[in-house]
Amino acid sequence: ADLPALVIPADLLGTPATKSKPAAVDAKPPMRGTASPSRHEGTEAVGDAPARRRDRVSASRPAPAAEATAPTEPTGVTTVDADRIVGQQDVELVAEGQAVLKRDRSVLTADRIVYREALDEVEAEGNVTLRRGEDRLAGPKVQLRLDEQTGTLDSPTYEIHRISRKGGISRPITGSGEASVIRFEGENQYRLEDATWSTCQPQDPDWYIKAGELELDYDREIGVARHSTVVFQDVPIFYMPWAEFPLVAQRKSGFLPPTFGTSNKSGVELTAPYYWNIAPNYDATLVPRYISRRGLQLGGQYRYLTETMQGTTSLEWLSSDSVTGQSNRAAGSIRHQQNFGYGLSGSLDLNGVSDKEYFEDLSSRLALSAQTNLLRQGVLSYSSGSWWSASALAQSFQTLSGERPYRRLPQFTLGGNRLVWGGGEFNLATEYVRFAHPDANKPEGSRITLNPSVQFPLGTAAYTLTPKFGVHYTRYDLSTPLTVGEESITRAVPTFSLDGAMVFERETVWGGRDMIQTLEPRLYYVNVPYRDQSDIPNFDSGLFDFNFAQIFSENIFSGGDRIANANQLTAAVTSRMIDAETGVERLRAALGQRFYFEDQRVTLPGFAARTGRRTDILASLGGRIGKITTLDAGWQYSPEDRQTERFNADLRFQPAFAKVVNLGYRYTRDVLRDVDIAAQWPLGGRWYGVARYNRSLRDHRVTEALGGLEYDADCWVFRVVVHRYATNAEDVTQAIFLQLELDGLASVGSSPLDLLRRTVGGYGTINQPMADPVFGRE
Amino acid sequence: CGFHLRGQLDMPFQRAYLNASRNDPFMNRIARQLEINGVVLTERLKEAEVVIRIINIKRERDILSLNRAGKAREYRLLTTLSFAVERADGTTLRPAEGIAVRRDVTYDDTQLLAKGQEEAMLYRDMEDDIAQQLVRRLAATKTDAPAAR
């Protein structure tokens, strides 16, 4: 779910807590002046009686500076302005006819105002309007004590404006409505009876909360409604006996927007998450999900964050599934990270499901149903902060489909990295690991690796030359050897590499901006002698993908079971366009190839050795190619076969917020050929369309398709999304989601927003039209 | 064609405070990159001309393509670092911005451990990439904006 970020409160961090109550917007020093009302004459023409002259009178009460509570603030002055003012000084002032009473930023207007200075009390009748800054309250009759800010206003309509600051984005929020009576209970505190509240336009709101009693606390920015109903387009949709809601779209306990949907796996579905904001750094979400065909599923998530630890625990449970007849179908996960101090830290990542089909049947998320193994691991790491570090790991898996992997029970590592002999860099990697396998016919065993190396970087900013020498020593103790008598195998391989790079630059202008263009040729030579490794089982080795990271690695294999023999040279050149003003890299192009001076002799079981003396050519181009266009493309070409081995290109065209088209094409020879189109586009009026289409041209199959419509009315958003994706070779999951989000009331989004953000790159949430300053658009 | 050998990156400050622990290998790599370019990282905030504030590091892993069985065949790995540059008194020199890099990797559940190590290698590669881009951006920071000394 899309939940707000947890924050550690300042007082937990040991720093003094900042004042919790925001400073009063306008301080109101008590007015106890004794100066007599001064009079002045003014003339004003009034619309329907142009001939009649009207004398306006005003009374002003400056407070003596000596009595002002805050000398730096403007002193509280009460002025009364009206067509007629009568009354006795210091006792009662009666102002009639367009009467205006002002104190600091507060302005009260009415047909008739009675001001009793001694009591600091005001009574007003007839077209009463109370304004303070942008806030506005109006009614036929008010009674107020100015200093205490207490009193009542009959049959009011009100508008209260605040700025919401959420995730560094600020936007104005207006709460408005009407009531039978509003009681002022001190600054920023209002209690309303038979009241409504809405974030829509005050006139004829599309939705509102109607409550028997409503408290608006603008200090804590919380509203409390009792006996309340949510009314949408004049239709009551939700009754709440008691509910708290955020006045300024802050993180707040409450119901998240419910999602209604149907799917071919579950029938009709209704999810109504409840968010419990326990503390700024702890929260929980309870997710009851009614699935018509299967039953009621209960889900929950608990998150915490402190200075030394953070984590999330999630659990889902379906007591009995009426489709499969299984009882207690469940999924759970625990993620925990902890810093014990002194360089010691640990983490836990435990995941599990009750049965292998759980995600396929019950998850509406592709990221879950596309998994084959669920991780279960614990890690303890130590870092000295200077030059060495160590770790201990226990790792296992729950396998949902396919082959079961090896478990590392346990793995210990010790690593070091320090400067030696003035400019040299010594590196040490050691590992002890015991590989266990749940299948009895798989070889098990332990492996010790010592891999010290030393490198001497030479050169300047313009060129570098780095020779590196290393030894890779490994010892295996096998419980079931591959060949008879070989319980223990040792292998020692010296390695040598030489890495040379140069950097050229030039100043240029591109797209109307000053740029620095670089040209960075690089040569990388590796020499590793051959060692026979055919007796060594394969626990954790595999071939690296062929890419730029791989051609600058010593070994073509990942893992520790195979050290490839090498006598090879990589040649590559990179060019970057860097904005001279900001240092931001705008575009990068690269070209590279590797040349072999000897044949591959070390192979993985079941894999043939390479033939040929040179690799495919790698090319890439990525970055901003126009004002609104970005490209990310990679190409792998085989000169031997004169064929493209791999090609992918992603083009994004984003002219404005919530207006984006992504075009993608991915090709790997004999493996895949996919097209991927994803877009969000305004359709005119208040409608937006969202779509994604991902098709495997090779398998003639749609792997994922999504279509949606969003309607943005100022204070609410409606979304309908149809989603279809492949769950396994024959099966697809199809679902429809409907969501109504009332802005400000249930301001934390949930599915299908998650889904839209994941499936449509550059998706903009239409009712929050301001980009995230860090992770949003540039 | 106008290309010339690059000179030393001209860092606009000599003494910086990095608000991150060098116990973290990624942060240590960033610190190394700064030191290579002649920046002294101070122990205390007060001793520094600028504060490099690492705001957030986000690592994501999204499915890029599926095989016939609806299981992941390729993943896209994403690393995003957001940072801001401030003066020692807390005023902003360079407001928060992000550096995002990504790498694609094929997935094969019969080679789970190997793929895990390959992903770890790619994350390190991305972190080196980010560290270099960060230093480039820091080198372009204007420290002589009004109100500075």
Side-chain angles (χ1 to χ4, degrees):
Chain A
D2 173 49
L3 296 170
L6 293 176
V7 287
I8 307 175
D11 52 344
L12 287 184
L13 283 172
T15 48
T18 46
K19 234 169 93 178
S20 59
K21 186 181 162 182
V25 181
D26 49 352
K28 295 217 161 181
M31 194 223 76
R32 293 198 184 86
T34 50
S36 54
S38 64
R39 282 173 171 267
H40 78 258
E41 303 260 314
T43 56
E44 196 177 29
V46 174
D48 59 339
R52 189 173 140 202
R53 268 179 63 105
R54 219 178 218 198
D55 292 337
R56 284 189 63 81
V57 286
S58 96
S60 166
R61 288 280 166 156
E67 288 203 19
T69 49
T72 50
E73 297 285 327
T75 51
V77 178
T78 306
T79 61
V80 181
D81 237 314
D83 293 341
R84 288 173 300 282
I85 295 181
V86 290
Q88 196 181 340
Q89 183 183 325
D90 301 344
V91 179
E92 189 176 90
L93 215 68
V94 179
E96 284 180 324
Q98 297 183 42
V100 181
L101 180 141
K102 288 187 193 167
R103 181 186 285 187
D104 301 324
R105 284 175 58 227
S106 299
V107 181
L108 174 71
T109 57
D111 295 343
R112 183 172 190 270
I113 294 178
V114 179
Y115 175 49
R116 299 186 190 95
E117 190 190 335
L119 299 169
D120 194 36
E121 197 179 79
V122 173
E123 274 181 33
E125 301 178 334
N127 301 311
V128 176
T129 308
L130 190 59
R131 286 173 211 272
R132 185 151 171 225
E134 277 185 77
D135 297 349
R136 183 179 174 280
L137 298 101
K141 190 165 182 277
V142 72
Q143 195 235 328
L144 263 182
R145 288 179 91 93
L146 290 177
D147 186 30
E148 290 172 6
Q149 301 191 40
T150 56
T152 55
L153 173 63
D154 293 343
S155 319
T157 61
Y158 68 94
E159 276 171 52
I160 297 170
H161 301 261
R162 292 292 186 273
I163 301 293
S164 151
R165 288 191 180 81
K166 203 166 91 175
I169 300 163
S170 51
R171 63 187 179 121
I173 299 252
T174 302
S176 67
E178 51 190 52
S180 66
V181 65
I182 186 164
R183 294 183 208 288
F184 304 99
E185 300 190 333
E187 186 178 335
N188 289 329
Q189 305 288 330
Y190 307 92
R191 184 183 296 274
L192 293 78
E193 284 170 26
D194 296 323
T196 67
W197 183 87
S198 174
T199 59
C200 298
Q201 294 296 322
Q203 290 78 34
D204 192 20
D206 287 345
W207 68 265
Y208 54 88
I209 297 176
K210 184 158 180 47
E213 189 182 79
L214 189 65
E215 272 174 61
L216 305 178
D217 179 342
Y218 275 96
D219 282 334
R220 292 194 302 145
E221 296 175 336
I222 286 172
V224 180
R226 292 186 179 83
H227 309 296
S228 63
T229 311
V230 178
V231 180
F232 178 70
Q233 303 287 24
D234 301 325
V235 180
I237 55 170
F238 209 62
Y239 173 78
M240 299 176 284
W242 181 90
E244 275 193 355
F245 57 94
L247 294 174
V248 201
Q250 303 289 35
R251 238 170 60 128
K252 182 70 211 79
S253 296
F255 285 97
L256 304 186
T259 305
F260 178 78
T262 78
S263 103
N264 61 334
K265 295 280 173 72
S266 53
V268 177
E269 244 189 82
L270 180 69
T271 309
Y274 181 81
Y275 178 71
W276 184 18
N277 183 27
I278 307 166
N281 60 328
Y282 292 87
D283 66 17
T285 313
L286 302 173
V287 190
R289 177 178 168 210
Y290 173 72
I291 308 166
S292 69
R293 282 203 207 143
R294 296 180 187 269
L296 180 69
Q297 184 193 53
L298 295 174
Q301 189 190 55
Y302 172 65
R303 306 189 304 169
Y304 52 93
L305 172 71
T306 72
E307 208 177 345
T308 57
M309 59 181 185
Q310 66 179 86
T312 305
T313 299
S314 311
L315 198 67
E316 279 178 10
W317 174 67
L318 178 66
S319 74
S320 74
D321 186 330
S322 17
V323 173
T324 62
Q326 288 161 288
S327 56
N328 293 320
R329 295 192 82 181
S333 93
I334 295 172
R335 295 209 177 122
H336 175 82
Q337 283 172 288
Q338 188 157 4
N339 186 350
F340 299 101
Y342 309 103
L344 189 65
S345 62
S347 73
L348 268 182
D349 193 342
L350 302 174
N351 302 279
V353 286
S354 58
D355 57 278
K356 290 179 179 181
E357 291 79 33
Y358 183 88
F359 289 131
E360 287 178 19
D361 285 353
L362 287 159
S363 172
S364 54
R365 292 182 58 194
L366 184 57
L368 294 177
S369 70
Q371 297 183 108
T372 52
N373 284 283
L374 304 183
L375 183 66
R376 293 161 177 191
Q377 75 171 25
V379 187
L380 210 56
S381 4
Y382 175 76
S383 169
S384 70
S386 55
W387 70 276
W388 67 278
S389 60
S391 73
L393 164 90
Q395 184 185 57
S396 174
F397 301 91
Q398 180 182 13
T399 302
L400 305 182
S401 70
E403 209 174 295
R404 291 197 270 190
Y406 273 101
R407 296 164 177 183
R408 290 188 276 183
L409 294 168
Q411 181 212 42
F412 299 104
T413 67
L414 177 69
N417 185 301
R418 74 181 308 178
L419 301 177
V420 286
W421 301 313
E425 191 181 323
F426 171 75
N427 199 73
L428 176 69
T430 63
E431 182 197 40
Y432 166 84
V433 54
R434 204 181 75 80
F435 292 102
H437 202 283
D439 296 346
N441 59 345
K442 289 273 191 178
E444 293 189 325
S446 65
R447 183 179 75 199
I448 292 172
T449 306
L450 292 173
N451 181 201
S453 63
V454 63
Q455 59 181 12
F456 299 95
L458 310 166
T460 66
Y463 72 91
T464 55
L465 188 67
T466 312
K468 181 181 172 191
F469 306 89
V471 178
H472 207 287
Y473 171 85
T474 322
R475 181 194 159 95
Y476 288 86
D477 287 295
L478 304 175
S479 55
T480 39
L482 290 188
T483 40
V484 182
E486 294 276 4
E487 280 92 5
S488 141
I489 304 168
T490 59
R491 176 187 65 189
V493 195
T495 61
F496 169 75
S497 69
L498 187 64
D499 190 351
M502 294 181 87
V503 183
F504 297 93
E505 286 185 351
R506 66 168 187 170
E507 285 79 46
T508 182
V509 176
W510 184 65
R513 288 183 72 91
D514 286 341
M515 293 278 167
I516 297 164
Q517 186 183 5
T518 70
L519 193 67
E520 306 166 35
R522 184 175 172 192
L523 286 172
Y524 179 68
Y525 174 78
V526 184
N527 195 313
V528 179
Y530 167 72
R531 296 288 185 269
D532 182 6
Q533 296 163 43
S534 53
D535 290 344
I536 299 174
N538 178 15
F539 294 125
D540 69 349
S541 270
L543 261 181
F544 274 130
D545 284 350
F546 185 62
N547 55 31
F548 280 100
Q550 189 257 15
I551 59 175
F552 289 106
S553 306
E554 271 175 23
N555 196 358
I556 56 171
F557 300 110
S558 65
D561 298 320
R562 293 292 181 279
I563 308 293
N565 62 303
N567 180 10
Q568 62 201 32
L569 181 72
T570 299
V573 61
T574 305
S575 180
R576 301 167 208 259
M577 277 290 189
I578 295 160
D579 191 311
E581 182 73 15
T582 61
V584 174
E585 184 180 308
R586 287 290 174 198
L587 192 67
R588 180 192 300 190
L591 192 68
Q593 190 174 20
R594 183 149 67 195
F595 303 92
Y596 298 104
F597 306 119
E598 63 177 48
D599 289 335
Q600 181 187 351
R601 298 175 68 188
V602 179
T603 55
L604 282 167
F607 284 82
R610 173 200 73 241
T611 56
R613 285 292 159 106
R614 54 183 181 170
T615 62
D616 297 342
I617 297 168
L618 277 178
S620 79
L621 177 66
R624 186 154 292 231
I625 56 168
K627 273 205 162 53
I628 51 171
T629 313
T630 55
L631 174 71
D632 192 354
W635 185 39
Q636 178 186 339
Y637 177 77
S638 161
E640 319 264 279
D641 299 350
R642 296 188 180 168
Q643 278 222 41
T644 293
E645 288 293 322
R646 206 177 144 109
F647 174 77
N648 53 66
D650 291 294
L651 191 68
R652 177 178 294 181
F653 175 71
Q654 188 161 29
F657 181 79
K659 204 172 187 181
V660 62
V661 175
N662 300 285
L663 299 173
Y665 178 75
R666 312 191 62 74
Y667 169 80
T668 304
R669 191 175 156 194
D670 301 331
V671 177
L672 71 101
R673 198 150 61 90
D674 284 4
V675 284
D676 195 348
I677 301 164
Q680 181 186 24
W681 205 260
L683 301 176
R686 294 166 166 276
W687 290 91
Y688 292 78
V690 184
R692 162 121 191 234
Y693 181 76
N694 185 344
R695 183 179 178 86
S696 165
L697 300 175
R698 196 183 138 84
D699 297 336
H700 309 289
R701 184 171 194 218
V702 177
T703 33
E704 187 174 10
L706 176 147
L709 282 174
E710 298 180 280
Y711 181 80
D712 179 21
D714 283 325
C715 55
W716 56 273
V717 172
F718 175 73
R719 297 187 177 88
V720 53
V721 177
V722 183
H723 189 209
R724 177 194 161 100
Y725 62 93
T727 335
N728 60 44
E730 288 79 36
D731 204 6
V732 292
T733 292
Q734 279 189 83
I736 300 171
F737 302 96
L738 299 167
Q739 187 191 46
L740 176 67
E741 187 178 338
L742 307 177
D743 286 7
L745 182 61
S747 59
V748 191
S750 83
S751 170
L753 269 183
D754 255 5
L755 175 70
L756 295 177
R757 280 200 201 103
R758 182 188 65 74
T759 29
V760 180
Y763 172 81
T765 312
I766 51 174
N767 51 334
Q768 287 163 15
M770 266 171 248
D772 183 309
V774 173
F775 293 106
R777 298 175 306 138
E778 278 189 277
Chain B
C1 51
F3 280 108
H4 50 83
L5 277 169
R6 173 168 83 174
Q8 179 87 26
L9 261 184
D10 227 353
M11 298 303 283
F13 47 82
Q14 275 75 52
R15 301 171 69 76
Y17 177 83
L18 182 69
N19 81 324
S21 161
R22 292 188 78 152
N23 285 341
D24 181 286
F26 184 15
M27 292 302 117
N28 195 33
R29 265 200 288 283
I30 287 175
R32 274 276 174 92
Q33 273 295 323
L34 287 165
E35 285 167 353
I36 286 169
N37 285 284
V39 174
V40 176
L41 292 174
T42 61
E43 290 280 316
R44 291 200 194 103
L45 197 140
K46 284 179 198 153
E47 296 160 2
E49 292 165 63
V50 300
V51 178
I52 301 160
R53 194 156 64 84
I54 305 297
I55 301 164
N56 193 13
I57 298 155
K58 204 157 79 169
R59 291 186 184 88
E60 287 168 285
R61 183 171 178 263
D62 289 335
I63 294 170
L64 198 55
S65 63
L66 299 169
N67 61 18
R68 275 190 66 83
K71 304 301 172 200
R73 181 167 47 199
E74 286 176 299
Y75 280 100
R76 170 158 291 163
L77 312 180
L78 264 156
T79 306
T80 311
L81 172 115
S82 56
F83 71 99
V85 186
E86 294 164 357
R87 294 189 191 90
D89 63 8
T91 53
T92 303
L93 276 173
R94 196 176 168 127
E97 62 188 279
I99 305 175
V101 297
R102 61 193 215 185
R103 300 283 185 270
D104 298 347
V105 62
T106 63
Y107 183 74
D108 176 357
D109 58 28
T110 64
Q111 297 187 35
L112 189 75
L113 295 185
K115 283 294 167 189
Q117 302 193 40
E118 182 168 0
E119 285 179 19
M121 191 268 280
L122 290 172
Y123 276 116
R124 274 198 304 278
D125 185 47
M126 285 191 273
E127 288 170 4
D128 283 336
D129 195 341
I130 288 176
Q132 283 177 21
Q133 291 197 42
L134 175 67
V135 170
R136 273 281 188 185
R137 294 195 191 191
L138 291 174
T141 301
K142 312 278 179 293
T143 48
D144 50 0
R149 267 181 291 177

